[in-house]
């Protein structure tokens, strides 16, 4: 054959089109397809394996291998080269296949004489449906064009498998292990708490392609162009709407995402697919499946994120081409099941119907998690095998609290969860009814309860909970979801929007707390040996004063005409606070000089997270308007325990007498100096821990919004005088933890502890 591969596959597609248009059973067509592909791609062997129930790949058709192997040779997913291609959804291109460690010899096929092998997965909706393989005797490496050609042809086979009678209806639905159709608990990673029940809606399910082969190639190019502009226009509309999507984070995410749509390599490959005879839909589908498959092989989270965005765009593009996911006939209670959806995709659904989000990949900082968290739904990520094991319409329970889901749950689990949900609902209405109550303890001590926020969308909770303010606004979150550093205007807009939503309630803006476990995608990752103790937080701010200055300037602009609270994180000594304060003062002076409208009141505080500062607190307090204890880091440093390391998590307890004694000491010093002190670490959000904090003298806590109700209920039922007397005695105890004693105390004294 002297044909070049690219003209070869174009010709192959032309001939395949005739095969598909002709009559005959699906089996006949597969038999024809392997002949055409072998001939047109100059291969001595072409074989098609189809995935059957039980995760078995069966040889359905071959040209070149022994005919008696058809419907006899079977491999498990993951077994042999064919099984590996299906398991990894990656192509294999081998000049000496038998040397490959996964090669599994099947004597009935007679394949021992063939050295080279090129195999691609046959994918549909991100799932393997089969494998297409060509082989040659000579040891040769197949070209990229040949591999792409085979991938294009695999689209035809995927459609044939999906639409035909090759497999019985049950098998077609569940071309996977039938054992998995029973109830199943699938563990994952908790991203957002909560419990939800609903029906699975598979995001990017088998997207339907109405026609594979183009009747008119020019017309298909036109359709692609039209769909691209329609998609861009739709994204523009999304960007300009004014509700939830208006918030800075979503806008930026969507903007960066739109830029990826202009990725040239990606478009080129779609156009090539059309040139070779596919319709625009089929060409986009092919590139989409390929992007999804490539993503699995990439370790770098940044590149994976970009690939995921490209896959997301391809799905949207298909919708604009007239195929795509139908948004009609979706259940009222959607549990969205997705591999790694793009952030905008969540907003395509009627978000009021989405009860939970479950992803196979992703994680707490993935863009979509941030958008979903703003919607206040439970999220579980990193669920292995999710897309393979959940079918559309499956009942799913999402247990965000414990990072797990139950698919097709048994009646027992269902009724247990329904009861829990009922109880939570009752509690929620109880918390709602407390909204108007003043937060005072049973013995009349007023307690200030605020919430922690990190996004504009979180600000809605201020009104909903009736909190006194925002005790901690983590400004790094808006920085983390962007693809570039936000400039002065963008930062000012974020802070201004936050303040206007706060409607006069105080918002404690914490300056950038990056480094450690919080990396910005556009800032070179630090190679610190020990990031928690490394170049992070205020250390970055003081070493990069330009960055800090810009942030403070944005805060001052946003706070014009209002009260502005600024706090510096991870202060370890007085000198650090004074340096940060000096920068703020300079900015304030600059604003005054330029005749800018300054905040009516500027209050400046520090976070106490580094133990060393406790012994310099008396010297620091005269400089402070307030102090905020960051117990997450303080606990980590006091006990020398990495807060992100699961091997040591649980080794020590925040209710250790030592930590509580430290808090009592800090409170005493602050009270003496008349400086308000608050605590905003996670422990404040757990009712028992919060009770202990009141017991050592704290009167101001800031908690995550979902924990506001439980902490308020505890506060209303606790008698602080009695509790403090009890705890004073307890703190001298040699116990590992005071948890048991404090819980017993709460029970004996009618303190409500429910979360
Ligand atoms: C803390 O350390 O307690 C704190 C509130 O800061 P972050 O959790 O953001 O480090
Ligand atoms: Mg901290």
């Amino acid at each position: 054959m002297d044909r070049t591969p690219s003209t070869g596959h174009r010709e192959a597609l032309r001939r395949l089109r005739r095969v598909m248009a002709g009559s005959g059973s699906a089996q006949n067509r597969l038999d024809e397809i392997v002949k055409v592909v072998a001939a047109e791609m100059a291969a001595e062997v072409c074989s098609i394996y189809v995935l059957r129930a039980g995760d078995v790949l069966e040889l359905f058709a071959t040209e070149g291998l022994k005919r008696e192997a058809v419907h006899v040779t079977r491999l498990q997913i993951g077994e042999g080269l064919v099984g590996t291609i299906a398991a990894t959804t990656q192509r294999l291109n081998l000049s000496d296949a038998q040397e490959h460690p996964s090669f599994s010899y099947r004597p009935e096929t007679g394949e021992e004489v063939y050295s080279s092998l090129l195999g691609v997965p046959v994918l549909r909706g991100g799932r393997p449906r089969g494998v297409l393989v060509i082989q040659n005797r000579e040891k040769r490496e197949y070209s990229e064009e040949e591999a792409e050609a085979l991938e294009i042809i695999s689209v035809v086979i995927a459609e044939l498998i999906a639409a035909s009678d090759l497999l019985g209806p049950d098998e077609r639905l569940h071309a996977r292990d039938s054992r998995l159709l029973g109830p199943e608990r699938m563990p994952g990673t908790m991203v957002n708490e909560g419990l939800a029940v609903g029906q699975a809606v598979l995001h990017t399910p088998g997207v339907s392609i109405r026609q594979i082969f183009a009747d008119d190639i020019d017309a298909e190019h036109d359709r692609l162009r039209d769909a691209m502009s329609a998609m861009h226009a739709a994204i523009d509309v999304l960007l300009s709407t004014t509700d939830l999507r208006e918030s800075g984070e979503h806008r930026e995410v969507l903007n960066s995402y739109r830029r990826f749509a202009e990725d040239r390599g990606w478009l080129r490959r779609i156009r090539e697919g059309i040139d070779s005879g596919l319709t625009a839909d089929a060409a986009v589908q092919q590139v989409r499946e390929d992007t999804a498959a490539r993503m699995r092989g990439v370790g770098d989270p940044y590149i994976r994120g970009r690939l995921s965005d490209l896959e997301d765009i391809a799905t949207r593009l298909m919708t604009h081409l007239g195929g795509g996911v139908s948004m009609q006939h979706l259940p009222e209670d959607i549990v969205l099941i997705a591999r790694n959806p793009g952030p905008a995709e969540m907003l395509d659904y009627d978000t009021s119907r989405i009860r939970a989000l479950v992803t196979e990949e992703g994680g707490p900082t993935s863009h979509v998690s941030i958008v979903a968290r703003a919607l206040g739904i439970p999220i579980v990520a990193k669920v292995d095998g999710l897309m393979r094991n959940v079918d559309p319409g499956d009942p799913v329970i999402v247990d965000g609290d414990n990072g797990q889901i139950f698919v097709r749950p048994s009646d027992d689990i269902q009724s247990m969860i329904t009861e829990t949900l009922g109880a939570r609902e009752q509690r929620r209405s109880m918390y709602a009814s407390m909204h108007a109550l003043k937060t005072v303890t049973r013995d009349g001590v007023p307690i200030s309860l605020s919430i922690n926020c990190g996004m504009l969308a979180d600000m809605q909770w201020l009104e909903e909970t009736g909190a006194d303010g925002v005790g901690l606004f983590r400004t790094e979150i808006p920085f983390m979801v962007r693809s570039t550093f936000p400039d002065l205007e963008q930062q000012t807009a974020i802070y201004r929007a936050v303040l206007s939503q706060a409607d006069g309630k105080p918002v404690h803006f914490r300056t950038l707390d990056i480094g450690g476990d919080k990396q910005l995608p556009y800032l070179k990752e630090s190679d610190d040996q020990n990031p928690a103790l490394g170049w992070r937080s205020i250390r970055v701010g003081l070493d990069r004063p330009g960055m800090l200055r810009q942030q403070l300037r944005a805060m001052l602009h946003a706070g014009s005409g209002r009260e502005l609270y600024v706090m510096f994180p991870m202060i370890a000594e007085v000198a650090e606070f004074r340096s940060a304060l000096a920068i703020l003062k300079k900015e304030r002076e600059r604003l005054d000089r330029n005749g800018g409208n300054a905040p009516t009141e500027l209050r400046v505080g520090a976070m106490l997270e580094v133990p060393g500062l406790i012994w310099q607190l008396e010297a620091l307090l005269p400089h402070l308007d307030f102090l905020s204890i960051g117990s997450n880091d303080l606990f980590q440093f006091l006990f020398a325990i990495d807060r992100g390391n699961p091997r040591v998590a649980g080794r020590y307890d925040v209710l250790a007498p030592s930590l509580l004694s430290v808090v009592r000491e800090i409170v005493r010093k602050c009270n003496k100096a008349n400086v308000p002190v608050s605590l905003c670490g996670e422990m404040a959000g757990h009712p028992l821990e919060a009770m202990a904090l009141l017991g050592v003298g704290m009167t101001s806590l800031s908690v995550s919004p979902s924990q506001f109700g439980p902490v308020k209920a505890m506060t209303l039922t606790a008698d602080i005088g009695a509790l403090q007397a009890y705890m004073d005695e307890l703190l001298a105890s040699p116990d590992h933890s005071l948890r048991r004693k404090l819980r017993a105390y709460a029970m004996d004294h009618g303190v409500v502890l429910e979360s």
Side-chain angles (χ1 to χ4, degrees), residues 90 119 151 157 200 250 255 257 282 294 383 394 436 445 450 460 559 579:
Q90 305 285 322
E151 277 161 0
I157 299 167
H250 308 117
N255 257 330
Y257 163 79
R294 267 197 295 155
V383 178
D394 274 349
V445 180
S450 299
Q460 59 171 319
S579 306

Side-chain angles (χ1 to χ4, degrees), residues 43-277:
E44 283 142 329
V45 173
C46 175
S47 310
I48 295 172
Y49 294 79
V50 176
L51 186 67
R52 305 202 67 144
D55 274 0
V56 168
L57 291 151
E58 182 175 303
L59 180 65
F60 259 67
T62 186
E63 173 72 10
L65 297 184
K66 289 185 187 159
R67 304 222 33 100
E68 53 269 33
V70 172
H71 296 303
V72 171
T73 296
R74 290 173 160 210
L75 296 139
Q76 287 288 322
I77 283 205
E79 184 190 358
L81 298 176
V82 167
T84 302
I85 293 166
T88 58
T89 62
Q90 305 285 322
R91 68 163 89 131
L92 273 183
N93 184 351
L94 306 168
S95 59
D96 193 347
Q98 295 175 29
E99 283 294 298
H100 192 281
S102 298
F103 180 76
S104 151
Y105 178 53
R106 291 303 164 98
E108 73 275 8
T109 60
E111 67 180 330
E112 60 275 14
V113 297
Y114 303 105
S115 295
S116 48
L117 175 145
L118 172 63
V120 298
V122 174
L123 298 168
R124 202 157 190 280
R127 303 185 192 189
R129 298 302 163 115
V131 173
L132 170 64
V133 176
I134 58 174
Q135 291 172 275
N136 283 78
R137 276 174 204 268
E138 64 168 318
K139 286 190 177 155
R140 55 165 300 208
E141 178 111 2
Y142 297 92
S143 68
E144 180 61 24
E145 286 79 10
E146 284 170 306
E148 282 184 10
L150 216 58
E151 277 161 0
I152 288 175
I153 292 166
S154 75
V155 178
V156 179
I157 299 167
E159 287 306 302
L160 180 63
I161 295 172
S164 73
D165 51 4
L166 267 180
L167 304 170
D170 286 350
E171 258 194 299
R172 213 166 45 235
L173 262 179
H174 308 300
R176 57 197 169 88
D177 195 333
S178 50
R179 280 176 295 126
L180 297 183
L181 294 178
E184 204 182 343
R185 186 188 84 87
M186 302 181 78
T189 302
M190 187 274 265
V191 172
N192 207 27
E193 293 170 351
L195 192 62
V197 178
Q199 287 180 58
V201 168
L202 258 59
H203 190 63
T204 65
V207 182
S208 56
I209 306 174
R210 284 161 311 163
Q211 193 181 330
I212 300 176
F213 299 106
D215 293 328
D216 174 347
I217 287 183
D218 289 340
E220 292 304 318
H221 278 299
D222 289 346
R223 286 185 64 227
L224 177 67
R225 233 184 335 269
D226 292 348
M228 285 292 288
S229 24
M231 180 179 77
H232 282 182
I235 293 178
D236 284 341
V237 170
L238 259 186
L239 290 177
S240 60
T241 46
T242 48
D243 57 3
L244 168 75
R245 294 148 195 167
E246 180 65 23
S247 62
E249 301 86 4
H250 308 117
R251 170 183 285 270
E252 183 56 35
V253 168
L254 291 171
N255 257 330
S256 62
Y257 163 79
R258 184 181 165 174
R259 282 195 291 277
F260 300 128
E262 278 136 28
D263 182 289
R264 295 199 179 260
W266 182 79
L267 262 182
R268 174 189 61 77
R269 293 184 48 231
I270 297 174
R271 291 199 180 111
E272 278 174 7
I274 297 177
D275 280 338
S276 59

Side-chain angles (χ1 to χ4, degrees), residues 452 472 474 476 510 513 517-518 536 567 569-570 607-609 628-637 643 679-683:
N452 297 342
L472 165 65
R474 292 183 162 101
E476 59 277 5
R510 175 175 76 182
D513 185 24
D517 60 339
K518 290 181 270 193
R536 55 171 290 203
M567 63 183 176
M570 261 202 79
M607 283 192 72
L608 196 156
E609 302 175 274
S628 181
I629 304 175
S631 56
N632 302 338
D633 275 312
L634 185 61
F635 177 63
Q636 139 164 291
F637 298 136
R643 65 194 255 191
L679 186 144
C680 61
E682 296 307 311
M683 70 181 290

Side-chain angles (χ1 to χ4, degrees), residues 355-386:
R355 300 284 170 266
L357 170 70
V358 187
T359 65
E360 185 156 329
E361 300 179 354
T365 56
S366 71
H367 290 168
V368 71
S369 297
I370 289 163
V371 173
R373 217 177 287 140
L375 297 173
I377 56 172
I379 314 167
V380 176
K382 290 194 168 44
V383 178
D384 241 12
L386 177 73

Side-chain angles (χ1 to χ4, degrees), residues 599-745:
T600 50
E601 201 77 58
L602 178 58
R603 299 195 197 278
V604 193
M607 283 192 72
L608 196 156
E609 302 175 274
V610 180
L613 187 64
I614 299 167
W615 288 275
Q616 228 190 4
L617 204 50
E618 281 91 348
L620 177 68
L621 286 169
H623 300 280
L624 297 185
D625 292 315
F626 62 90
L627 183 79
S628 181
I629 304 175
S631 56
N632 302 338
D633 275 312
L634 185 61
F635 177 63
Q636 139 164 291
F637 298 136
L638 267 180
F639 281 90
I641 188 162
D642 180 350
R643 65 194 255 191
N645 182 345
R647 279 182 84 166
V648 288
R651 191 173 185 95
Y652 307 109
D653 192 348
V654 285
L655 291 181
S658 53
L659 182 92
L660 292 170
S661 303
V662 164
V663 176
R664 184 179 59 177
E665 180 72 15
I666 298 168
V667 173
R668 283 182 177 164
K669 289 184 177 181
C670 289
N671 288 349
K672 197 163 158 210
N674 223 358
V675 173
V677 56
S678 178
L679 186 144
C680 61
E682 296 307 311
M683 70 181 290
H686 302 290
L688 183 65
E689 282 83 337
M691 182 190 89
L693 291 170
L694 301 188
V696 293
M698 296 288 320
T699 52
S700 172
L701 302 175
S702 189
V703 304
S704 72
S706 62
Q707 291 304 105
F708 189 89
V711 173
K712 181 160 176 179
M714 178 281 296
T715 308
L716 298 177
T717 49
D719 180 328
I720 294 300
L723 179 62
Q724 288 186 353
Y726 176 66
M727 284 201 63
D728 268 348
E729 274 172 37
L730 269 191
L731 288 188
S733 107
D735 290 0
H736 163 76
S737 164
L738 302 179
R739 186 168 295 276
R740 213 173 35 79
K741 288 179 181 155
L742 287 170
R743 182 164 287 135
Y745 176 91

